[in-house]
Amino acid sequence: MDKLKHFMIGRYGIDQLSVALLIFSLVLSLLNGFIGSTILTIVDLGAIFLCYFRILSKNLYARQQENFKFLRIWHPVKNASLRKWNRLKGMKTHKYFKCPECKQTLRVPRGKGKVCITCPKCKHELHKRT
Ligand SMILES: [Zn+2]
């Protein structure tokens, strides 16, 4: 264990991009189990190689910059998926409307009869059955 600790001193280690590469390569190898493509195998090995290269790299600044670029792309994707997932979870208890004025999504509890909904963004009022 001490040898590994000593070996990892000054090296970059694991970050979000490395984990993403590892998951990507795992998904790719699972997929390749069905397809059996040589190109997928090469891409898979490339992803694993890149992952280990990044973890063991001593150029910390370059690896951080790569991770920042990755996160700048990843966060909007992750947030959009989370929003969709939360909306799916809330379908039973809430009803969703779109404000006709500003296109803001409005969430109202279900089963409250006919209600007047005021958009918090533009103060437009709409009457809907929940
Ligand atoms: Zn509005």
Side-chain angles (χ1 to χ4, degrees):
M1 204 60 197
D2 270 354
K3 273 185 180 175
L4 181 69
K5 267 185 190 168
H6 192 260
F7 177 72
M8 288 306 287
I9 289 174
R11 295 183 191 272
Y12 186 61
I14 297 171
D15 64 358
Q16 292 92 338
L17 180 54
S18 302
V19 172
L21 278 169
L22 215 62
I23 292 170
F24 173 72
S25 102
L26 204 77
V27 169
L28 218 60
S29 59
L30 279 174
L31 201 73
N32 206 16
F34 296 107
I35 300 169
S37 156
T38 318
I39 296 166
L40 277 188
T41 307
I42 292 167
V43 173
D44 186 21
L45 287 175
I48 291 172
F49 174 78
L50 196 64
C51 179
Y52 278 104
F53 168 76
R54 294 191 75 257
I55 290 170
L56 300 176
S57 172
K58 287 188 172 179
N59 189 351
L60 306 187
Y61 180 75
R63 300 295 85 80
Q64 276 177 342
Q65 292 306 307
E66 289 165 4
N67 196 43
F68 284 144
K69 281 178 191 164
F70 166 72
L71 289 178
R72 216 175 299 146
I73 297 165
W74 172 242
H75 277 306
V77 174
K78 182 183 146 196
N79 290 341
S81 318
L82 262 177
R83 239 179 283 125
K84 285 220 167 76
W85 175 247
N86 283 335
R87 186 170 172 161
L88 260 175
K89 277 199 317 193
M91 289 281 267
K92 274 186 181 171
T93 53
H94 292 82
K95 212 161 185 181
Y96 293 85
F97 299 104
K98 198 160 243 172
C99 173
E101 295 293 314
C102 68
K103 310 297 180 215
Q104 170 80 32
T105 303
L106 307 167
R107 192 176 78 130
V108 198
R110 271 184 191 272
K112 301 287 177 196
K114 200 164 183 179
V115 290
C116 175
I117 308 161
T118 310
C119 173
K121 199 172 169 186
C122 69
K123 307 297 177 206
H124 177 77
E125 287 187 349
L126 57 153
H127 300 272
K128 293 281 183 183
R129 181 169 293 281
T130 57

